[in-house]
Amino acid sequence: MKIEKYGLEELITEELKGKTGEALDRLWEEPWVKAAMDKSDRRREAFIQETAQRFRANSDIIVIVADGALAGLIDAAVSALPAEDGPKVRVFGSTLSPLEYGEILTELQEADFSLIAVSEGEESVPLRGAYTCLKQLLLSKYGPEGAGGRIIAVAGKESRLLAMEAADNDYPAIPQPDGVSAAYAANTEGVLLPLAAGGADIGRYLDGFYDMLASPFWDLDGADYGIARAAYSLRGRSVEEIQIWQKQLRSFGFWQELAAEQRQVKTVRMPVEKILSSEENFRTTILIEEDEEDIMMPYFEGCNQDGSLNMLLKETAEREFAEEDRDPKIKLSVEQMDAYALGQLLAFAQLSNGITEYLLKA
């Protein structure tokens, strides 16, 4: 993963830079970082892969029931990776819309499906509704015994519904680690199991996650993103505009909106016309340099000389970032999105978010 910066110098003061070490020291004590450092987050890797493979083998659709910021993180992770042969993965549960219920129930009625229910704590009304409704559909389609083989719960210590359901109905359940909030759950069972259900190699994903955490990058300029965002907010300029150039990263931007504390974050799909606003935005561009697909285009004015749509997208994003303006900005780019790169990106995001939060509260 590469990081390019523009206009951050005036934001990164010596005072804030000096507090970064304290922020990182605090983060190294967080449960999610400790789990990565001692690799205890791999303790259920074999079980997760085996369960995911069983669900993939007998399902056209795997539904992940979750809500709030955790649902946003799961969706960001699952939708970021290239599509694999196998079942579709749907994240559902952050809604009470009859129309959305009608759409998913119609889709599942004629399909074989399995259910992964994830909750970090006591379940909300939307999550309870989604789980209860989809469990009832499983029971009506497959009967109690058949449904039991198609449900698994990932439940936090404060879970009520999922923990009780698993115990009463003999469904398998695995714990979601205690003390890890939805904003920092990228290496927890609640995210690893949905990723494996989507066909991801979670071993490679965790390798990327570990490598980003252990990188000397953080002792050099890796923390600058977190520092600059905090400084921007402290000056009263609180809008971070996340520019997403590819569809598979859009949910990553929405997760960052949900995960932000004390800051306003909005996601913009690129390319777009210049946004007319009285506010000066901190702009974050996120780009996959080689998308999973490419199309060779017929000639038109402004196209890439080789006809590659992939190259045209990259060139356009680079021109947009290079354009001089007053706004501080940063560009994060990965060469190609795979499980390893996704692990790096989510670890980078969580550490950067943690630094920003610490500096805003200090």
Side-chain angles (χ1 to χ4, degrees):
M1 193 177 82
K2 294 186 297 187
I3 179 171
E4 298 174 58
K5 299 172 286 187
Y6 173 86
L8 270 58
E9 295 80 9
E10 68 175 63
L11 296 172
I12 303 173
T13 65
E14 286 302 317
E15 180 185 4
L16 289 174
K17 193 84 171 175
K19 293 179 181 178
T20 306
E22 301 168 18
L24 289 170
D25 287 344
R26 183 189 66 81
L27 284 166
W28 299 146
E29 293 302 313
E30 289 292 315
W32 67 273
V33 176
K34 285 185 173 181
M37 292 304 181
D38 65 14
K39 295 186 168 46
S40 61
D41 49 10
R42 286 194 190 270
R43 62 189 178 276
R44 292 189 183 87
E45 184 177 344
F47 175 78
I48 286 172
Q49 294 282 21
E50 180 184 325
T51 301
Q53 188 54 45
R54 175 165 51 85
F55 278 23
R56 285 173 60 79
N58 66 8
S59 305
D60 302 311
I61 301 171
I62 299 174
V63 184
I64 315 297
V65 170
D67 72 345
L70 185 54
L73 172 54
I74 294 169
D75 193 32
V78 170
S79 61
L81 292 178
E84 299 279 352
D85 293 335
K88 290 194 296 183
V89 177
R90 291 281 307 273
V91 182
F92 185 76
S94 294
T95 183
L96 291 173
S97 163
L99 179 60
E100 290 185 69
Y101 266 82
E103 289 173 348
I104 195 168
L105 290 173
T106 299
E107 185 179 10
L108 296 177
Q109 195 67 51
E110 302 302 321
D112 285 319
F113 78 99
S114 297
L115 181 62
I116 299 173
V118 184
S119 176
E120 62 177 325
E122 186 169 357
E123 294 78 8
S124 66
V125 170
L127 192 150
R128 286 170 178 266
Y131 171 79
T132 303
C133 186
L134 297 184
K135 184 195 78 168
Q136 190 58 47
L137 180 57
L138 278 172
L139 289 169
S140 68
K141 284 172 71 79
Y142 305 106
E145 186 175 347
R150 292 175 177 269
I151 301 177
I152 187 170
V154 183
K157 185 178 179 181
E158 302 301 319
S159 167
R160 296 292 181 267
L161 176 67
L162 297 187
M164 180 183 68
E165 281 279 308
D168 290 350
N169 297 284
D170 198 27
Y171 301 151
I174 55 178
Q176 177 71 348
D178 191 31
V180 180
S181 71
Y184 298 96
N187 62 327
T188 66
E189 285 81 350
V191 175
L192 297 177
L193 182 55
L195 270 173
D201 181 341
I202 60 172
R204 285 290 293 157
Y205 169 83
L206 287 173
D207 286 344
F209 197 89
Y210 299 159
D211 287 350
M212 178 55 70
L213 291 183
S215 173
F217 176 72
W218 296 100
D219 295 324
L220 301 173
D221 59 359
D224 287 356
Y225 179 38
I227 297 171
R229 287 189 305 178
Y232 207 67
S233 293
L234 289 168
R235 292 186 180 191
R237 304 167 181 172
S238 58
V239 179
E240 179 182 4
E241 177 186 291
I242 299 183
Q243 300 181 340
I244 302 296
W245 288 82
Q246 283 125 326
K247 177 182 177 182
Q248 59 268 45
L249 288 176
R250 205 175 314 157
S251 292
F252 175 88
F254 296 148
W255 166 56
Q256 288 295 280
E257 291 181 19
L258 290 168
E261 291 190 12
Q262 305 179 62
R263 298 181 297 117
Q264 183 182 349
V265 178
K266 62 182 180 180
T267 299
V268 176
R269 184 175 180 180
M270 299 294 287
V272 297
E273 295 297 322
K274 293 291 183 184
I275 296 171
L276 298 178
S277 172
S278 60
E279 298 169 300
E280 296 177 346
N281 296 331
F282 186 108
R283 299 202 331 246
T284 301
T285 292
I286 305 178
L287 179 70
I288 303 170
E289 294 186 352
E290 295 182 23
D291 213 336
E292 60 194 272
E293 295 183 8
D294 198 5
I295 294 175
M296 302 309 290
M297 301 290 287
Y299 177 79
F300 61 92
E301 186 176 351
C303 74
N304 174 264
Q305 62 180 358
D306 295 324
S308 165
L309 187 57
N310 221 331
M311 289 300 298
L312 176 60
L313 183 150
K314 182 180 176 182
E315 290 165 0
T316 306
E318 288 174 346
R319 280 198 302 271
E320 169 72 23
F321 181 75
E323 185 175 307
E324 291 190 11
D325 52 38
R326 293 181 301 166
D327 298 343
K329 53 192 173 183
I330 188 169
K331 184 171 77 170
L332 305 175
S333 53
V334 295
E335 184 175 342
Q336 192 170 37
M337 183 54 70
D338 56 17
Y340 182 87
L342 179 62
Q344 286 191 308
L345 178 62
L346 294 184
F348 176 84
Q350 290 192 169
L351 273 181
S352 297
N353 290 346
I355 291 167
T356 300
E357 286 177 21
Y358 179 88
L359 295 176
L360 287 175
K361 294 174 182 176

